[in-house]
Amino acid sequence: MNSSEEIAVSGMSAGRSAMRMGPAELVQAAAMARRFYLEGKSKIQIAEEFGVSRFKVARVLETALERDLVRIEIRVPAELDAERSDALRARYGLRHAVVVESPAEAEETPDPENLGEVAADLLGELVDEGDVLGLAWGRSTIHMAAALDRLPPCTVVQLTGVYDAGTSERGSVEAVRRAAQVSGGDAHPIYAPMLLPDAATAAALRNQTGIARAFEYFDKVTVACVSIGSWEPGISTVHDMLSDEERAHYASLGVAAEMAAHLFDADGRRIGRDLGERCITVKADQLRRIPEVVAIAGGQRKASAIDAVLRSGLVTSLVTDTSAADYLMTAGPTPKPTLGRADPDGI
């Protein structure tokens, strides 16, 4: 039985409606419920034990629920919002959606640190021995790596170059090394900037031995962890690395979000593809082929950007907070299922 579910089976102490059952019926119903809910026996096994049909067992179990003989409570840790999580997963056709309670004092803060902690636990579930784990730059992925305490043996590769703005928010290489240390696997960091001045410089760097070796793993990645940025200062890595003129150019194309140095408009279409030629990053079509792409992003300021990236079909799972989730549940028309992962039109 899942530890998050508590099943209480009572007998003669059931509610008044249950007392309409005779004592023999009550005892039998309680016994069947205990076998089914607590001991994990099948209806066929219970039927054989009590000498009745499995249809009779099904009716007894249904009656036990209706008459409050059996009470089922679903419990998850207080910081997880199971209802929002399930609704968000269904709306975007995600494989997994985990919604964390937003800290009351940090509603405007993008990517609260607790998202990284929950994402670390999620990766512990998703990564299997022998997998290749890819990490793209982002504050949330750095927080996630710092919180990791369990990973099966796997190879860890960096999916983007580094962002060095002279701040304490660096750590792509450290995140890769941390994940590899926890898993006991090999690390393949990338010691190069994410954005270069021109395409020729970027191409030359991609051919350098260490970087080329990391790039060879991109098509082998089985689980990826990425961040999402809004197109505004301090919340988008790419935005902060560009000149004012370049920002204005991509804004004129309708950029609403970025992920792993790829730009998206509000409908999830990729735009500004020329920028990719200057970037050290995993390609969008490579991301699309990765079986599990987990995005970590939250906060009201990132909510519309999260919606845009989810509509792209590149992401299969999301870790976010209630602040962003409430926006996402009412954002525009219902998206096409993400798990179809069709390539959106772009510029």
Side-chain angles (χ1 to χ4, degrees):
M1 185 181 66
N2 190 309
S3 60
S4 66
E5 299 184 6
E6 177 180 292
I7 300 171
V9 179
S10 58
M12 296 300 290
S13 61
R16 288 186 177 181
S17 58
M19 290 304 295
R20 297 172 187 166
M21 301 171 68
E25 291 176 306
L26 274 171
V27 170
Q28 185 182 70
M32 288 183 176
R34 184 173 296 280
R35 304 290 194 280
F36 186 73
Y37 291 109
L38 300 183
E39 299 176 12
K41 291 187 176 181
S42 70
K43 294 175 183 176
I44 293 177
Q45 290 174 314
I46 297 171
E48 290 175 351
E49 178 183 349
F50 287 88
V52 298
S53 71
R54 61 186 176 89
F55 302 105
K56 170 68 179 295
V57 173
R59 287 197 300 272
V60 170
L61 293 175
E62 183 178 350
T63 301
L65 283 171
E66 290 175 350
R67 300 191 176 184
D68 201 29
L69 185 63
V70 173
R71 296 185 303 278
I72 300 176
E73 297 179 9
I74 309 298
R75 293 182 178 178
V76 295
E79 68 271 17
L80 299 182
D81 192 310
E83 185 174 350
R84 283 186 175 93
S85 297
D86 188 54
L88 198 60
R89 178 202 56 76
R91 174 172 169 79
Y92 286 91
L94 297 169
R95 187 170 291 118
H96 304 284
V98 182
V99 178
V100 181
E101 193 69 35
S102 301
E105 68 279 5
E107 288 188 358
E108 297 299 322
T109 302
D111 302 337
E113 289 192 24
N114 62 337
L115 294 186
E117 296 169 1
V118 173
D121 287 339
L122 179 60
L123 281 190
E125 293 182 57
L126 299 180
V127 176
D128 293 322
E129 183 173 351
D131 275 348
V132 177
L133 172 63
L135 301 181
W137 191 95
R139 296 179 184 88
S140 56
T141 53
I142 292 170
H143 293 155
M144 180 278 300
L148 281 172
D149 59 10
R150 64 184 177 98
L151 270 182
C154 64
T155 298
V156 186
V157 61
Q158 193 169 324
L159 296 179
T160 62
V162 301
Y163 170 52
D164 183 354
T167 73
S168 60
E169 296 293 356
R170 292 174 289 176
S172 300
V173 171
E174 291 83 354
V176 169
R177 293 197 176 281
R178 165 65 182 168
Q181 180 185 28
V182 172
S183 74
D186 294 332
H188 295 277
I190 294 177
Y191 296 97
M194 180 187 294
L195 180 66
L196 282 303
D198 52 67
T201 304
L205 277 177
R206 292 190 199 103
N207 289 326
Q208 288 189 358
T209 303
I211 298 174
R213 187 178 298 115
F215 268 58
E216 290 174 358
Y217 278 91
F218 286 2
D219 288 326
K220 303 174 185 178
V221 174
T222 50
V223 180
C225 190
V226 300
S227 297
I228 296 173
S230 297
W231 197 247
E232 57 179 297
I235 312 185
S236 164
T237 300
V238 175
H239 179 282
D240 291 349
M241 297 174 76
L242 295 174
S243 67
D244 290 340
E245 183 179 356
E246 290 170 326
R247 291 169 189 158
H249 166 66
Y250 292 115
S252 71
L253 298 179
V255 61
E258 62 101 350
M259 177 185 69
H262 299 290
L263 308 183
F264 304 87
D265 68 10
D267 295 320
R269 292 186 294 262
R270 287 180 56 220
I271 62 174
R273 298 192 184 198
D274 60 304
L275 184 67
E277 298 176 4
R278 297 168 49 194
C279 292
I280 302 297
T281 186
V282 62
K283 295 179 180 178
D285 62 343
Q286 290 175 313
L287 275 173
R288 194 177 304 281
R289 292 194 295 269
I290 296 173
E292 186 74 75
V293 178
V294 181
I296 313 171
Q300 293 180 5
R301 295 175 66 186
K302 279 194 176 183
S304 60
I306 298 170
D307 175 62
V309 171
L310 291 182
R311 290 176 185 274
S312 76
L314 292 175
V315 170
T316 61
S317 298
L318 174 69
V319 178
T320 190
D321 61 0
T322 53
S323 178
D326 287 343
Y327 173 91
L328 293 171
M329 288 307 302
T330 58
T334 301
K336 295 178 181 179
T338 293
L339 295 183
R341 309 190 79 175
D343 189 12
D345 294 332
I347 298 173

